Amino acid sequence: MGAEMDNSIVAVSADAHGRKRLKPVTDYSFAATLTAFPLTVPEVMVAAAEYPIAFTKNADSLEPSALLSLGSSRNLFVDANGRWLGNYIPAIIRRYPFVIGQVPEENNLALCIDESSGLLSETEGEPLFTDDLKPSQTLAKAIQFCNEMESARGATLSATAAIAEAGLIQPWPLKIQQGSSVREISGLFKIEKSAFFSLPDDIILRLRANGGLTLIYAHLVSVNRLQALAKMVPAPVSSFPAPAPAKPAPDLPRGPSEELVFRF
């Protein structure tokens, strides 16, 4: 988070993209090295049915993340043909090639697009702008989706902070048995169940109100997906660092009430 934009990530504008069209995503190879993805409260229960969820550190904060790999540098849910193998495709993947970034030398966040995605065309797909260079329906939907995602992410970070403040998050030195080998993964965090079950009613009510309970229950349910993920890992190795949420492009943190600034 907070990284400067890659040269291929540029702010969407009528000057640069007024005549561009957007082709649909049919190949997920761009996410082949994504080993975890950040989750938000609205999607966490759906994701929990398919991906194990851990809490990971992002800068100075913790956030819930779905694991796509255990000790591997590749996404086990993207095959050699670029197909997504899971039933649920996370919001951060569905957003692509749009991303949220900060224009150099400006403080405002902007809707950006990855021009190296291969999804921009002069002739194929849906137009990004109308003939009079106003945002098209396709672009308007992308703006709305990105705003909803960023708002949900701000609320999710606040809920996670409340969980941590309640003393429920602890290190999770994960060990995965695979055949005769044990895989060790460090840097993950989990909910301490005994502490959770001992919480006073007022804290429970507070967590229910801010979405924290949803994150807690999703995490506890998702732990059952660890062995399924472990079976997808190819070669056994003794010890690995924690999977890092490698996002398709940079995002910047903001509060749940902020609106993105778009200049067309």
Side-chain angles (χ1 to χ4, degrees):
M1 293 291 182
E4 291 186 1
M5 292 189 297
D6 183 86
N7 289 336
S8 64
I9 308 296
V10 301
V12 175
S13 69
D15 289 340
H17 307 103
R19 303 306 174 194
K20 295 292 185 180
R21 291 175 171 267
L22 183 68
K23 297 188 290 184
V25 174
T26 58
D27 187 323
Y28 293 93
S29 296
F30 65 88
T33 59
L34 187 71
T35 57
F37 66 85
L39 289 168
T40 59
V41 172
E43 65 179 333
V44 72
M45 291 304 295
V46 179
E50 195 156 9
Y51 311 102
I53 297 171
F55 292 89
T56 58
K57 278 191 174 181
N58 182 7
D60 296 327
S61 62
L62 288 166
E63 64 182 347
S65 298
L67 306 182
L68 303 175
S69 177
L70 292 173
S72 171
S73 60
R74 70 182 183 87
N75 183 349
L76 299 175
F77 288 88
V78 175
D79 70 10
N81 297 315
R83 293 178 301 179
W84 191 274
L85 302 179
N87 293 314
Y88 176 68
I89 300 176
I92 197 170
I93 300 299
R94 287 182 279 122
R95 183 185 66 181
Y96 192 78
F98 294 104
V99 296
I100 306 304
Q102 186 170 23
V103 180
E105 301 180 358
E106 292 189 21
N107 293 323
N108 294 324
L109 299 180
L111 179 70
C112 302
I113 194 166
D114 183 357
E115 292 191 323
S116 68
S117 65
L119 298 174
L120 288 176
S121 171
E122 299 283 348
T123 57
E124 300 178 63
E126 297 296 325
L128 291 178
F129 290 87
T130 61
D131 291 340
D132 57 352
L133 298 181
K134 302 295 183 182
S136 68
Q137 185 177 16
T138 296
L139 185 56
K141 287 181 178 179
I143 294 170
Q144 180 181 359
F145 187 65
C146 288
N147 259 323
E148 289 173 353
M149 272 193 66
E150 292 301 296
S151 178
R153 181 173 181 271
T156 301
L157 291 177
S158 296
T160 306
I163 295 172
E165 185 179 347
L168 302 183
I169 297 180
Q170 69 173 28
W172 192 10
L174 193 60
K175 292 185 178 181
I176 300 295
Q177 183 76 41
Q178 188 179 47
S180 59
S181 301
V182 176
R183 292 174 174 267
E184 299 181 1
I185 301 176
S186 60
L188 302 179
F189 297 83
K190 68 174 182 177
I191 298 297
E192 172 50 53
K193 286 195 291 185
S194 61
F196 171 53
F197 294 144
S198 301
L199 283 180
D201 291 345
D202 61 325
I203 302 297
I204 290 289
L205 291 174
R206 194 180 310 161
L207 291 174
R208 185 177 69 179
N210 64 22
L213 277 188
T214 301
L215 296 181
I216 291 170
Y217 287 133
H219 162 71
L220 294 177
V221 168
S222 76
V223 172
N224 293 326
R225 300 301 305 163
L226 277 172
Q227 286 303 323
L229 184 60
K231 291 177 180 178
M232 299 171 67
V233 180
V237 185
S238 60
S239 181
F240 302 93
K247 298 183 175 63
D251 289 289
L252 296 174
R254 64 192 183 95
S257 63
E258 287 185 69
E259 286 291 314
L260 299 174
V261 175
F262 302 105
R263 295 197 181 96
F264 302 115

